[in-house]
């Protein structure tokens, strides 16, 4: 499937298909559909009867395999195991050498079908060093009729030698109008603010309950009273939210607060601009920095602190100090 903002990219890449590379490296902003694009390409390359625009037909044997159990000439390398499933994991889950070895064996097999095999690596920066070196080796001497599709959110973190073996393809991000249209089509409430919050990248995990908690948390930060912050610390705790989640929201809020005060720019919460401006006008920037530092200090404990409520209460008490009347010098 292509997203509506990818149609030009699709035409552009198809013009390159007269001379297929050994590997494409897809780059572009996170949350804008790079993986979907790479999968669309994989399906198209393996389909028996692609249409005039080179989209996979969706009906042939190859397409059915793709949709069901998996195509025998297709492999996907992604971080595996428990680490990858833990969305809140503190470290980036890695693609391990064993997985790359298995993929290399596959690459040297004879293809089951029309002679081409496709290997998708996503995200390529998740290769651990040994795995990256193994991939590099096969990119340097690619077996016949094997095409690699690498997807990278942070291509600067790839080995330069891997990058240089791939043909780069930069994918377009949607304009904000395109992203908003799409989000509204998905029935996302408050699409404009959600999009701003997610930095203009529309493919975030939309969780209405979490969005509601975020609003509640921000409301409390706006109110700047003991009662409001104590109450919201309790809500966060009762809903079993991690300290890490609250820290993320607080840090974004503090950045916007500093932005409103210093540079007159607000990034995450433009819908709360008026309130941010008013708060920034009575903020002590030194206390604000202190609060930011405290949030940074707590970050390593974000996933496994024993008492979220206590930590959060202490942190938010520090937040309130930003707005306390100036102390005598
Ligand atoms: Zn097909």
């Amino acid at each position: 499937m292509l997203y509506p903002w990818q149609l030009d990219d699709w035409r552009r890449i198809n013009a390159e298909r007269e001379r297929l590379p050994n590997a494409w490296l897809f780059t572009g902003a996170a949350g804008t559909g790079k993986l979907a694009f790479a999968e669309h390409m994989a399906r198209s390359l393996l389909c028996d009867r692609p249409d005039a625009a080179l989209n996979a037909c969706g009906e042939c044997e190859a397409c059915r395999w793709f949709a069901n159990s998996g195509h025998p000439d297709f492999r996907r390398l992604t971080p595996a195991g428990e680490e990858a499933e833990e969305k809140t994991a503190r470290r980036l889950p890695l693609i391990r050498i064993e997985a790359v070895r298995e993929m290399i064996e596959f690459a040297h097999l004879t293809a089951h079908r029309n002679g081409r095999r496709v290997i998708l690596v996503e995200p390529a920066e998740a290769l651990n060093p040994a795995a990256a070196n193994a991939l590099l080796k096969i990119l340097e001497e690619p077996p016949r009729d094997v095409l690699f599709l690498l997807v990278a959110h942070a291509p600067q973190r790839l080995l330069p030698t891997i990058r240089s073996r791939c043909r780069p393809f930069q994918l377009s991000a949607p304009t904000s109008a395109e992203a908003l249209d799409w989000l509204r089509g998905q029935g996302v409430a408050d699409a404009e603010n959600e999009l701003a919050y997610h930095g203009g990248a529309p493919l975030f995990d939309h969780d209405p309950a979490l969005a509601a908690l975020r609003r509640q948390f921000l409301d409390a930060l706006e109110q700047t009273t003991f009662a409001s912050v104590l109450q919201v610390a309790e809500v966060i705790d009762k809903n079993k939210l991690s300290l890490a989640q609250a820290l993320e929201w607080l840090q974004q809020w503090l950045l916007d607060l500093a932005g409103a005060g210093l540079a007159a720019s607000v990034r995450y919460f433009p819908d709360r601009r008026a309130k941010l401006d008013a708060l920034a006008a009575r903020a002590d920037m030194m206390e604000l920095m202190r609060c930011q530092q405290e949030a940074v200090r707590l970050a390593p404990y974000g996933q496994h602190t024993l008492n979220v409520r206590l930590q959060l209460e202490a942190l938010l008490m520090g937040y309130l100090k930003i707005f306390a009347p100036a102390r005598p010098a």
Side-chain angles (χ1 to χ4, degrees), residues 35-111:
L35 177 60
F37 190 90
E39 285 176 346
H40 194 77
M41 176 54 87
R43 281 200 187 91
S44 162
L45 289 164
L46 293 168
C47 172
D48 297 333
R49 297 188 296 271
D51 68 13
L54 297 178
N55 300 299
C57 72
E59 285 162 8
C60 70
E61 191 175 33
C63 284
R64 283 204 308 274
W65 265 333
F66 216 112
N68 300 324
S69 49
H71 194 291
D73 293 325
F74 176 69
R75 279 288 188 288
R76 181 192 295 267
L77 263 188
T78 53
E82 280 169 31
E83 254 181 279
E85 272 152 37
E86 228 178 281
K87 277 197 179 162
T88 48
R90 274 155 50 208
R91 287 178 302 126
L92 180 73
L94 293 176
I95 298 174
R96 303 192 179 286
I97 181 72
E98 296 77 19
V100 178
R101 284 208 190 101
E102 194 272 333
M103 176 276 286
I104 288 171
E105 259 172 55
F106 162 78
H108 286 103
L109 291 173
T110 312

Side-chain angles (χ1 to χ4, degrees), residues 74-315:
F74 176 69
R75 279 288 188 288
R76 181 192 295 267
L77 263 188
T78 53
E82 280 169 31
E83 254 181 279
E85 272 152 37
E86 228 178 281
K87 277 197 179 162
T88 48
R90 274 155 50 208
R91 287 178 302 126
L92 180 73
L94 293 176
I95 298 174
R96 303 192 179 286
I97 181 72
E98 296 77 19
V100 178
R101 284 208 190 101
E102 194 272 333
M103 176 276 286
I104 288 171
E105 259 172 55
F106 162 78
H108 286 103
L109 291 173
T110 312
H112 284 73
R113 309 192 78 250
N114 61 8
R116 181 183 287 140
R117 273 146 302 152
V118 178
I119 296 167
L120 175 63
V121 186
E122 187 272 336
E125 63 267 35
L127 293 156
N128 77 17
N133 278 306
L135 177 69
L136 175 61
K137 228 171 245 166
I138 196 168
L139 287 176
E140 282 171 343
E141 289 172 39
R144 276 170 57 89
D145 296 324
V146 173
L147 185 74
F148 288 88
L149 305 175
L150 276 64
V151 174
H153 312 296
Q156 72 280 4
R157 283 172 38 203
L158 294 177
L159 290 178
T161 40
I162 287 188
R163 280 206 307 268
S164 70
R165 290 279 161 187
C166 299
R167 187 188 290 173
F169 193 89
Q170 167 91 26
L171 286 165
S172 314
T175 63
S176 52
E178 286 168 331
L180 275 178
D181 271 0
W182 186 82
L183 282 174
R184 291 189 182 121
Q186 301 297 304
V188 172
D190 201 18
E192 208 153 304
N193 291 320
E194 288 293 305
L195 185 64
Y197 176 70
H198 290 96
L203 304 180
F204 48 83
D205 280 341
H206 185 58
D207 179 341
L210 191 63
L213 281 171
R214 191 175 76 226
R215 277 194 296 277
Q216 221 175 326
F217 187 73
L218 297 172
D219 288 346
L221 295 183
E222 278 190 5
Q223 286 166 32
T224 60
T225 63
F226 283 108
S228 65
V229 300
L230 290 178
Q231 197 247 337
V232 89
E234 189 185 343
V235 169
I236 296 278
D237 195 36
K238 272 205 179 124
N239 284 276
K240 306 245 182 295
L241 240 63
S242 65
L243 181 64
Q245 181 60 82
L247 285 176
E248 185 186 327
W249 292 338
L250 179 66
Q251 284 174 312
Q252 289 165 334
W253 178 256
L254 292 173
L255 279 174
D256 269 4
L257 197 55
L262 300 171
S265 77
V266 154
R267 179 176 166 196
Y268 296 102
F269 309 113
D271 56 321
R272 293 175 187 258
R273 180 63 200 256
K275 195 70 195 181
L276 282 162
D277 282 344
L279 285 175
R282 41 181 275 251
D284 176 337
M285 287 296 156
M286 288 305 289
E287 287 293 346
L288 194 153
M289 278 170 61
R290 221 165 274 152
C291 189
Q292 281 176 322
Q293 282 160 4
E294 186 57 13
V296 168
R297 190 188 68 79
L298 286 173
Y301 311 103
Q303 296 304 339
H304 49 77
T305 185
L306 290 176
N307 198 327
V308 171
R309 185 169 164 185
L310 216 64
Q311 299 272 20
L312 195 55
E313 281 177 1
L315 186 64

